[in-house]
Amino acid sequence: MSDHPSIVQITLNTESKRPFHHTPIPEYPLLNEPLPDQTAMEDQLMTYKTQDKKLSEVLHQLPLFAKEFEKLTPQAQSNTLFRLLQRSNTSTLQFTNSLITPILKRDFIACLPHELKLQVISHLDIRTLCIASRVSKKWKSLIDLDKNTWLRLLQKDGFDLPTTPTISWKEHYKRQYTLKSNWKKGRFKRIEFEGHTEFIVTCLQFDEEKIVSGATDSMINIYNTNDPSGPMEQLQGHAGGVWALQYVGNTLVSGSIDRTVRVWNIKKRKCTHIFKGHTSTVRCLQIVEPVMINGRLEPSQPLIVTGSRDFSIRVWNLPNVEEETESDEPYIGEANNPWFKFLLFGHTNSVRSIAAHGNTLVSGSYDNSVAVWNLETGRMVHRMEGHSSNVYAVVIDPIRHQCMSGSMDSTVYVWDILTGECLHKLDGHSILVGLLGLTPNHLVSAAADKTLRVWNPSTGVCEHVLAGEHGHEGAITCFKHDDEKVISGSEGGLKMWDIKTGRHLYDLVTDVKGVWWVTFDKRRCIVAIRDQDETSFQMLDFGVVNLE
């Protein structure tokens, strides 16, 4: 055994906590003070030489230290390292950390089979996925390219699936998420455009290509959605105000105070058919498209249903506007109209509102009643009475086999369309309920009492009243909702509410005399406003900020 003490003993037993090069150098006095004597200087030099010899011996023993260290127990190894680290300066500790950290890091995901990797990330939410994708290039590639993960998130958050094969699923989710965030935080681009001068906008519909509006000036305006302030085109033909319109594809149907129903080819800006028969204003209409119910299409072909102030409802087959005709003039259908199907009589006053799904039609009338009709037979199925004043609005709920009606008597009724029974009477409004809207999870009513109410369509329970400090200042003139938000217009402006909490989010339009109409899709909101006795439009584009 060597006479020299072991390197471990030297390390643990030494009293000095600093290596030789940290020993403080004596501070010499100013030049006008006496210098240290020669003996003191020689003693100091001998101390340095002794320390340097010890350091040389320690360095010489390092290989032995490594072997001895390997023989120690884990606890002793830890204790030894702890003592060494205690005596190390900052730069040494940083160097040690740079060596240890990569050794301790282990990519457990990379060690798994590919199927298990995908199984792990399938349980992560969007926030965790975004953090994980920044860990390494391998993790990012794994997450970015997993279609099933992004499909799961798209479906979970209610987003549309991609229609363009060139865009990645992650990028598509990112755009949808950003768009939703823009709606929530009020980030949009406002575009104003003119239309219908001083007249009332009575109906409005739009898609990715066009915006179509009808008004009391008897005109139907068509704007380019991507450039609404650019050139506008008009469909002329009605001899009175347009009170109802709807288009499907290239086919537009309009109803007017002139008592006619017109069918138009939108691309050609041409009226192809004029249906006569009503003897008063056509107040409401709907194109009823076939849907699959119990294994068969209902109705068997697309229909036009119109309600009028003449107390009647008329049903026509929807013409094909793409068919070429010998004449450039529109077909005028009167007594022997081949497209005419049914005349529905049963109401004793104006038909104010209709709603249809499959072969089931619901109508609300100023005779205080709600009627259910079969569009296959043209017969009334139920006449439901309960309201004590005019019925202004109806909606149909095919999922629950229900319909709802809003009336001037300030109530909303929920009816069973199979039995005609009243299921719920919804009280809360204090005056005319003129507007109703329905999505699978929410029924919304709007009234002249300046409030909107959100109801549970299954139970009839009122979940939220949209009013209060940030509420409207006048009767609600228009609104639309989905399962995230309600956008409502009144005298003064346009507001947006969180439908799940009833909280006012922000004002979209302010300081205007009135709002005639509002509608929106996933990206845009179109609003018709009245200000300084002029009618104009605004498009609020939420798909520009952070996306384009």
Side-chain angles (χ1 to χ4, degrees):
M1 190 74 174
S2 173
D3 295 334
H4 296 290
S6 74
I7 195 68
V8 175
Q9 289 175 320
I10 292 174
T11 304
L12 298 181
N13 295 334
T14 180
E15 295 297 328
S16 173
K17 294 186 178 181
R18 296 173 180 265
F20 168 68
H21 56 272
H22 279 290
T23 304
I25 298 174
E27 296 180 2
Y28 288 97
L30 299 177
L31 293 177
N32 58 357
E33 295 182 3
L35 295 173
D37 58 33
Q38 187 68 26
T39 303
M41 294 183 64
E42 290 177 354
D43 290 344
Q44 186 68 50
L45 183 61
M46 287 299 296
T47 300
Y48 289 162
K49 288 181 177 180
T50 301
Q51 289 179 346
D52 187 55
K53 183 179 179 181
K54 288 182 179 181
L55 178 63
S56 177
E57 291 177 356
V58 168
L59 294 176
H60 184 70
Q61 294 290 334
L62 280 179
L64 176 62
F65 170 73
K67 290 183 178 180
E68 293 289 332
F69 185 80
E70 290 176 355
K71 298 176 182 178
L72 298 177
T73 65
Q75 183 175 359
Q77 286 185 351
S78 299
N79 190 43
T80 303
L81 285 175
F82 177 71
R83 295 294 184 88
L84 289 172
L85 293 174
Q86 268 189 317
R87 291 161 173 77
S88 301
N89 59 30
T90 302
S91 61
T92 303
L93 291 174
Q94 290 175 338
F95 175 71
T96 305
N97 181 66
S98 69
L99 296 177
I100 294 174
T101 301
I103 296 173
L104 296 180
K105 284 183 177 179
R106 182 183 181 187
D107 188 351
F108 70 95
I109 289 289
C111 301
L112 298 175
H114 186 70
E115 293 76 11
L116 289 182
K117 296 176 186 177
L118 298 181
Q119 183 66 24
V120 170
I121 67 173
S122 72
H123 294 282
L124 305 182
D125 59 22
I126 182 61
R127 184 175 180 276
T128 308
L129 281 171
C130 290
I131 295 173
S133 66
R134 296 197 293 267
V135 169
S136 67
K137 291 182 179 180
K138 289 183 178 180
W139 284 31
K140 185 177 186 303
S141 176
L142 177 69
I143 292 169
D144 287 359
L145 299 178
D146 182 29
K147 174 182 173 181
N148 290 333
T149 290
W150 297 108
L151 174 61
R152 170 179 61 84
L153 291 172
L154 285 167
Q155 293 173 335
K156 175 179 175 290
D157 293 338
F159 294 156
D160 294 332
L161 299 183
T163 56
T164 307
T166 55
I167 190 171
S168 73
W169 284 74
K170 177 188 175 182
E171 183 63 26
H172 180 75
Y173 180 89
K174 178 183 175 182
R175 293 180 66 86
Q176 297 276 309
Y177 183 89
T178 303
L179 184 60
K180 182 178 180 179
S181 178
N182 287 347
W183 277 100
K184 185 172 293 187
K185 297 180 180 179
R187 299 188 295 235
F188 59 84
K189 178 181 179 182
R190 190 187 308 274
I191 302 172
E192 300 183 10
F193 53 104
E194 299 179 352
H196 300 292
T197 60
E198 75 275 13
F199 294 91
I200 301 171
V201 175
T202 58
C203 34
L204 182 64
Q205 186 180 348
F206 80 101
D207 57 31
E208 293 288 333
E209 298 177 352
K210 58 189 174 294
I211 303 168
V212 181
S213 62
T216 54
D217 61 358
S218 77
M219 298 295 179
I220 299 172
N221 290 359
I222 301 179
Y223 305 86
N224 182 342
T225 304
N226 298 301
D227 183 20
S229 56
M232 175 264 295
E233 296 187 66
Q234 288 187 319
L235 302 181
Q236 302 183 30
H238 281 298
V242 177
W243 280 96
L245 68 76
Q246 184 187 352
Y247 67 80
V248 173
N250 189 40
T251 302
L252 169 68
V253 180
S254 59
S256 167
I257 199 171
D258 66 9
R259 301 170 293 178
T260 67
V261 176
R262 287 179 174 253
V263 183
W264 310 78
N265 183 311
I266 299 176
K267 292 178 181 177
K268 294 182 178 179
R269 310 294 194 252
K270 174 185 176 183
C271 178
T272 60
H273 300 76
I274 302 174
F275 293 162
K276 297 184 176 182
H278 283 298
T279 58
S280 188
T281 301
V282 178
R283 194 61 186 80
C284 50
L285 70 80
Q286 182 178 341
I287 298 174
V288 186
E289 296 186 87
V291 293
M292 190 65 70
I293 299 176
N294 297 327
R296 71 186 190 109
L297 286 176
E298 294 185 13
S300 58
Q301 64 185 80
L303 302 176
I304 303 170
V305 181
T306 57
S308 170
R309 287 177 178 161
D310 65 9
F311 311 172
S312 74
I313 298 170
R314 288 178 175 262
V315 183
W316 287 273
N317 291 317
L318 181 69
N320 182 359
V321 299
E322 307 294 347
E323 290 181 350
E324 297 293 333
T325 58
E326 297 179 0
S327 173
D328 289 335
E329 296 297 317
Y331 170 85
I332 300 178
E334 294 185 83
N336 297 318
N337 183 348
W339 283 276
F340 177 72
K341 190 170 183 180
F342 297 121
L343 172 62
L344 309 183
F345 262 129
H347 286 297
T348 57
N349 209 323
S350 299
V351 178
R352 182 64 173 75
S353 179
I354 58 173
H357 178 80
N359 282 330
T360 302
L361 169 70
V362 177
S363 60
S365 169
Y366 284 177
D367 65 8
N368 308 349
S369 73
V370 177
V372 178
W373 310 81
N374 185 316
L375 290 176
E376 187 174 34
T377 64
R379 295 181 178 276
M380 181 185 290
V381 179
H382 303 292
R383 178 184 175 88
M384 301 176 294
E385 298 180 333
H387 287 295
S388 59
S389 191
N390 300 1
V391 176
Y392 270 75
V394 294
V395 290
I396 189 168
D397 183 357
I399 298 174
R400 301 173 183 84
H401 304 292
Q402 298 177 167
C403 67
M404 294 80 167
S405 56
S407 168
M408 185 180 282
D409 65 11
S410 77
T411 66
V412 177
Y413 275 70
V414 182
W415 311 89
D416 187 318
I417 57 178
L418 299 179
T419 66
E421 175 188 3
C422 176
L423 300 176
H424 306 287
K425 179 185 178 185
L426 311 184
D427 292 308
H429 288 294
S430 60
I431 200 170
L432 163 67
V433 180
L435 301 167
L436 292 177
L438 180 69
T439 55
N441 297 317
H442 304 284
L443 169 69
V444 179
S445 59
D449 62 7
K450 308 178 186 179
T451 72
L452 300 98
R453 289 177 174 260
V454 181
W455 313 82
N456 183 312
S458 296
T459 64
V461 172
C462 181
E463 297 177 336
H464 307 292
V465 179
L466 310 185
E469 178 184 355
H470 301 288
H472 287 286
E473 300 173 359
I476 312 301
T477 54
C478 58
F479 83 87
K480 185 175 179 179
H481 78 284
D482 57 19
D483 281 329
E484 298 287 336
K485 58 189 172 294
V486 181
I487 298 181
S488 56
S490 176
E491 178 183 343
L494 190 72
K495 299 178 181 291
M496 189 162 107
W497 314 79
D498 186 323
I499 199 169
K500 296 178 181 177
T501 65
R503 185 171 62 91
H504 171 262
L505 296 177
Y506 52 85
D507 289 350
L508 291 158
V509 177
T510 58
D511 301 323
V512 295
K513 284 191 173 180
V515 180
W516 296 127
W517 200 275
V518 66
T519 186
F520 62 83
D521 63 6
K522 296 282 187 180
R523 170 174 172 170
R524 303 175 178 91
C525 176
I526 311 291
V527 54
I529 62 175
R530 175 176 176 262
D531 195 25
Q532 299 178 350
D533 297 323
E534 289 287 325
T535 294
S536 63
F537 294 90
Q538 292 186 12
M539 180 170 76
L540 313 179
D541 190 347
F542 292 82
V544 175
V545 182
N546 298 326
L547 286 174
E548 294 183 354

